[in-house]
Amino acid sequence: MPLSIESQRAESAYHVFDSLCTLTAVLELDGSVLFANAALENALGLSRRMLEGSDFSEHFVDPALLHKAMDGARVQDYAALRFEASLRRQAKEAIPMQVIVSIAEGSGHVLLEMSPLEQQVRQDREERLIEQTQAHKELIRNLAHEIKNPLGGIRGAAQLLEMDLESPEMREYTQVIVHEADRLQSLVDRLLAPHRHPHLVGDVNIHEVCERVRSLVLVEYPQGLSVRRDYDTSIPEFRGDRAQLIQAVLNIVQNAAQALSARIVQGDACITLRTRVARQVTFGKQRYRLALELHVIDNGPGVPETIRDRIFYPLVSGRDGGSGLGLTLAQTFVQRHDGLIECDSQPGCTDFRILIPLP
């Protein structure tokens, strides 16, 4: 059936919503669908033509929720209304959604925006992670500079004192001071490393990065550990800092290898490097048409639950003797590429996912 003139105008006016990953519908005040974007078509398994003109409340498990929202819209009782509901799908389970209903000014239409609750939780978590990472970077940089100057004075004073001591036993004490000062200086240098290294941009092939990391790790763990490849070779090159990306991936893989120590002894430790292209993804408050997904998956015991939400914080480590800087530096280097690292962990499977926008 041909579209009405009004529907044709709406489709022309609202086609910009097709670029959103949020499920979006434009409704008449009676609740009928004037426009549905591509994301909503995909989620419901129905074409735009089938949705247009239908009563959208039929797609809710509890239609009364939308009826109430539309009643308020008709009398302009609110500017925007937010609630949770479940959306029906063709031959699939309903999806819990966060729904935002707002009135499109000057058009007499109602805008319906829906995001899966899981996606909303993920976006909130990503935003918190980015904000926390930035705050920790500033804190660490300032703290490291404050430590560095008096540390040099302590080391110099210990060396001068050692020159005036004749007793070998007493010199041992000054040598301990110098040694510990050097150890702290090394830690400070590592804390400041991301801020000292320039961002050298060039063409990066992610599989060359993976192969470099794989060869380094297998040299360190020649027995008991296998590093499997699962590559999508169609992934294009992108602009980035190859050295920083190698370091970021290496830190994650080495972290996984250290967690696999028991399985390495048994001879069945496994790390998988998997690359894929993600389409129409949102992370770091930005939506990208294409993004690289690099997974580092291991069959270890998993990240301890007590630190699972803090593993990218500086100085947080799940093993004795760990500095707690490897994952922090990895996150910093990936964020320099407008990307993000996420972690999903359970006993027997830990998956670190690196997301980086592609051209």
Side-chain angles (χ1 to χ4, degrees):
M1 188 173 67
L3 290 175
S4 67
I5 294 176
E6 187 175 9
S7 293
Q8 291 176 9
R9 288 174 179 170
E11 182 159 1
S12 174
Y14 296 120
H15 75 279
V16 67
F17 292 141
D18 278 333
S19 63
L20 300 178
C21 59
T22 304
L23 281 57
T24 306
V26 180
L27 308 181
E28 299 280 12
L29 288 175
D30 63 0
S32 60
V33 178
L34 189 61
F35 177 86
N37 76 340
L40 183 56
E41 288 183 282
N42 293 335
L44 294 179
L46 297 171
S47 71
R48 182 176 299 167
R49 297 293 181 263
M50 295 177 66
L51 288 168
E52 286 172 347
S54 67
D55 180 359
F56 196 75
S57 66
E58 296 175 356
H59 301 288
F60 282 89
V61 172
D62 184 359
L65 291 172
L66 185 59
H67 291 160
K68 184 177 180 180
M70 296 305 296
D71 289 342
R74 281 188 284 271
V75 298
Q76 297 188 344
D77 195 34
Y78 57 82
L81 177 67
R82 187 188 302 261
F83 61 91
E84 293 181 5
S86 293
L87 199 63
R88 298 182 190 275
R89 296 188 294 171
Q90 292 286 95
K92 294 181 180 178
E93 292 183 2
I95 319 175
M97 290 280 180
Q98 181 179 74
V99 184
I100 301 175
V101 182
S102 56
I103 301 170
E105 293 184 10
S107 68
H109 299 148
V110 175
L111 183 63
L112 207 64
E113 300 171 86
M114 295 160 284
S115 299
L117 287 177
E118 181 181 348
Q119 177 182 329
Q120 186 64 41
V121 170
R122 177 174 167 268
Q123 289 178 359
D124 291 343
R125 185 173 65 244
E126 287 176 356
E127 291 178 12
R128 286 198 305 272
L129 178 60
I130 291 170
E131 292 171 359
Q132 289 169 348
T133 301
Q134 186 62 35
H136 284 122
K137 279 163 56 179
E138 292 300 319
L139 174 63
I140 285 176
R141 182 163 53 184
N142 294 334
L143 183 60
H145 280 298
E146 289 297 323
I147 292 173
K148 189 172 181 180
N149 291 334
L151 197 59
I154 292 171
R155 189 183 191 281
Q159 288 178 316
L160 291 174
L161 181 60
E162 183 177 357
M163 294 171 60
D164 291 336
L165 295 176
E166 296 180 0
S167 169
E169 292 81 5
M170 296 300 292
R171 287 181 178 178
E172 287 183 7
Y173 293 122
T174 57
Q175 288 169 5
V176 168
I177 296 173
V178 171
H179 175 76
E180 290 303 305
D182 287 342
R183 186 176 65 83
L184 288 175
Q185 181 64 57
S186 176
L187 178 61
V188 169
D189 289 340
R190 292 185 65 190
L191 289 171
L192 292 173
H195 312 288
R196 288 176 170 171
H197 295 160
H199 193 47
L200 304 177
V201 177
D203 291 333
V204 176
N205 182 318
I206 194 59
H207 299 120
E208 291 179 358
V209 171
C210 291
E211 287 300 295
R212 175 64 174 161
V213 170
R214 183 176 183 273
S215 63
L216 290 172
V217 172
L218 288 178
V219 167
E220 188 175 354
Y221 299 91
Q223 294 181 334
L225 173 65
S226 65
V227 182
R228 297 177 181 171
R229 309 175 179 97
D230 182 3
Y231 296 159
D232 178 354
T233 55
S234 68
I235 295 175
E237 291 187 345
F238 58 94
R239 302 289 289 174
D241 188 318
R242 184 174 181 271
Q244 288 187 0
L245 289 174
I246 288 175
Q247 189 62 59
V249 178
L250 181 61
N251 286 1
I252 295 172
V253 174
Q254 285 182 329
N255 195 70
Q258 290 161 357
L260 287 167
S261 56
R263 282 192 174 270
I264 290 175
V265 173
Q266 298 173 9
D268 62 352
C270 179
I271 296 174
T272 300
L273 299 176
R274 177 182 299 158
T275 59
R276 293 292 186 270
V277 172
R279 290 176 171 80
Q280 305 297 345
V281 292
T282 301
F283 55 90
K285 297 184 179 180
Q286 295 283 335
R287 183 173 182 272
Y288 300 99
R289 185 177 62 87
L290 293 175
L292 161 70
E293 275 191 356
L294 170 56
H295 296 262
V296 179
I297 305 169
D298 70 71
N299 62 341
V303 179
E305 190 172 353
T306 53
I307 64 169
R308 197 166 293 169
D309 295 332
R310 300 182 291 118
I311 55 173
F312 295 108
Y313 290 8
L315 308 180
V316 174
S317 177
R319 62 185 179 86
D320 293 338
S323 67
L325 293 177
L327 293 179
T328 303
L329 294 178
Q331 186 74 270
T332 298
F333 288 146
V334 170
Q335 286 183 355
R336 282 190 172 186
H337 293 78
D338 299 321
L340 189 73
I341 307 177
E342 299 177 325
C343 178
D344 182 20
S345 182
Q346 55 189 347
C349 182
T350 295
D351 182 358
F352 280 89
R353 182 173 72 144
I354 299 175
L355 289 162
I356 295 176
L358 289 174

